[in-house]
Amino acid sequence: GGIERSNQSMAILFEEGTYLQFGLGFVDPEVSGSAGAAQSGDMAPSYVVPSISFRSDMTERLSFALILDEHVGANTDYPAGTGYPAATTTADLDGRALTALLRYELPSNFSVYGGVRASHVEGNAFVNFIGPGYNLDVNGGTEYGYVLGAAYEMPEIALRVALTYNSQIVHTFTGTDGLTGGVAATNFQTTIPESWMLEAQSGIAEDTLLFGSIRYVDWSEFQICPTNFPGGGCLVSLSNDTVTYTAGLGRRFTDNWSGAVTVLREPQVGGNASNLNPTDGRTALGLAVTWENQQYEVTGGLQYTWLDDTGPVASTNGVFTDNTAVSAGLRVGIRF
């Protein structure tokens, strides 16, 4: 949903002992549209999503975790020479988050957890179809939010249900913005919105695990409204919240090998598609395989995503149909 690139899962908190995990995802979207006879060309560059996380026990009941990931991001690059109204428009938003967490195990299989998240975001944009061209360049800033959650487990059947709340984080940006030839200092605020995530898993047969999640994000709170934007409007304004559903089935084949299949659905919400992010809704199918021994765990996965049709989007009247994305991921875990 919106511009997120991580679902901010708390799964690492429930690993055992001292555990270090590296992740690397590669996403190759194919997103194009048309306005009349003019074709936009592929306007969504591929990108890489790295992450690293670590957890360890402090006492018999208290543990901690650190997670460094790319929680939000966006890339737009309309090819030149296409005749499409947004040709040469570009935009980049990069966000990284460091989350520090504590988990305390209560009696009767309950646990509570929480912590602090530091979010660093920076970005720039050039929009050619606004006047002689609109420019935005803001300095990176770091702001803070918090995480709260609770979980219930029944280890004998691999059951775990965890509910996590991520607070909103308000960023204040400074830099420059304005029409070409009239760029001036800018100062504005943007909210990375709050979210709720319910994660669950349970064994349903020997060596077989059913798992899934529901994630809600208040994206209607997200706007980018720089000081000198023409007409006092917003460069980006998302009007609706998103809910993302995932479900999967995992199966252990041997002591060392297991696999999983996952499905994902994020319904269209309407009003969220724009020239800088002309997508709204998606359906995905994923496959993963894991090899592990007592010290190492290596997982590789592939996901194919069908992006819902959108448009016409404002200003260019572009219609975006039959778009897809291919993703690949590698995760390596080490136990000490």
Side-chain angles (χ1 to χ4, degrees):
I3 59 167
E4 67 185 355
R5 289 188 171 172
S6 166
N7 65 8
Q8 300 170 347
S9 171
M10 297 290 107
I12 191 168
L13 278 173
F14 302 94
E15 297 287 347
E16 296 182 355
T18 301
Y19 183 73
L20 177 65
Q21 181 176 277
F22 301 93
L24 189 66
F26 173 77
V27 183
D28 183 19
E30 294 288 337
V31 180
S32 62
S34 61
Q39 303 293 317
S40 72
D42 185 11
M43 50 70 62
S46 58
Y47 57 90
V48 173
V49 184
S51 65
I52 182 172
S53 51
F54 177 81
R55 69 88 64 198
S56 189
D57 295 319
M58 301 176 70
T59 68
E60 185 178 350
R61 291 186 177 273
L62 185 64
S63 58
F64 77 94
L66 296 172
I67 303 171
L68 179 63
D69 63 2
E70 186 172 332
H71 63 317
V72 294
N75 296 98
T76 299
D77 189 358
Y78 282 91
T82 62
Y84 188 76
T88 72
T89 291
T90 62
D92 289 288
L93 186 148
D94 296 305
R96 293 172 295 280
L98 176 63
T99 307
L101 299 162
L102 290 174
R103 175 179 176 238
Y104 185 75
E105 297 180 50
L106 300 165
S108 304
N109 297 333
F110 284 95
S111 62
V112 292
Y113 51 88
V116 178
R117 173 173 291 119
S119 167
H120 181 88
V121 178
E122 58 190 30
N124 61 79
F126 170 74
V127 183
N128 81 328
F129 54 85
I130 298 178
Y134 170 80
N135 301 269
L136 172 67
D137 190 1
V138 296
N139 304 314
T142 301
E143 302 293 344
Y144 299 89
Y146 62 89
V147 180
L148 295 174
Y152 175 76
E153 298 174 275
M154 293 181 61
E156 60 271 21
I157 60 170
L159 172 69
R160 181 173 72 238
V161 179
L163 179 63
T164 305
Y165 171 76
N166 297 284
S167 76
Q168 69 175 24
I169 302 177
V170 179
H171 283 267
T172 299
F173 293 111
T174 60
T176 59
D177 87 294
L179 297 177
T180 300
V183 174
T186 192
N187 185 305
F188 63 97
Q189 290 186 331
T190 293
T191 298
I192 306 299
E194 67 179 2
S195 66
W196 291 87
M197 187 168 180
L198 178 66
E199 298 175 273
Q201 67 170 53
S202 179
I204 57 173
E206 186 175 358
D207 294 327
T208 304
L209 187 73
L210 180 67
F211 59 92
S213 66
I214 302 174
R215 179 169 170 79
Y216 163 82
V217 188
D218 188 13
W219 281 112
S220 60
E221 294 296 314
F222 181 77
Q223 295 182 329
I224 299 177
C225 306
T227 306
N228 306 303
F229 192 81
C234 298
L235 177 63
V236 177
S237 179
L238 302 184
S239 56
N240 291 295
D241 305 335
T242 60
V243 180
T244 307
Y245 305 90
T246 61
L249 190 67
R251 175 72 178 174
R252 181 177 297 280
F253 304 115
T254 70
D255 289 342
N256 301 108
W257 289 97
S258 59
V261 58
T262 60
V263 293
L264 177 150
R265 177 58 185 159
E266 187 175 281
Q268 280 190 315
V269 295
N272 278 0
S274 70
N275 291 289
L276 298 185
N277 186 25
T279 62
D280 179 17
R282 59 191 170 118
T283 301
L285 176 65
L287 297 172
V289 62
T290 297
W291 175 88
E292 63 181 316
N293 60 18
Q294 291 184 344
Q295 185 176 9
Y296 299 102
E297 180 179 297
V298 181
T299 297
L302 293 172
Q303 181 173 268
Y304 191 85
T305 301
W306 295 266
L307 301 171
D308 290 357
D309 297 345
T310 60
V313 296
S315 301
T316 63
N317 289 318
V319 176
F320 292 77
T321 61
D322 301 323
N323 291 307
T324 60
V326 176
S327 311
L330 179 67
R331 187 177 68 196
V332 178
I334 305 171
R335 303 185 189 280
F336 297 90

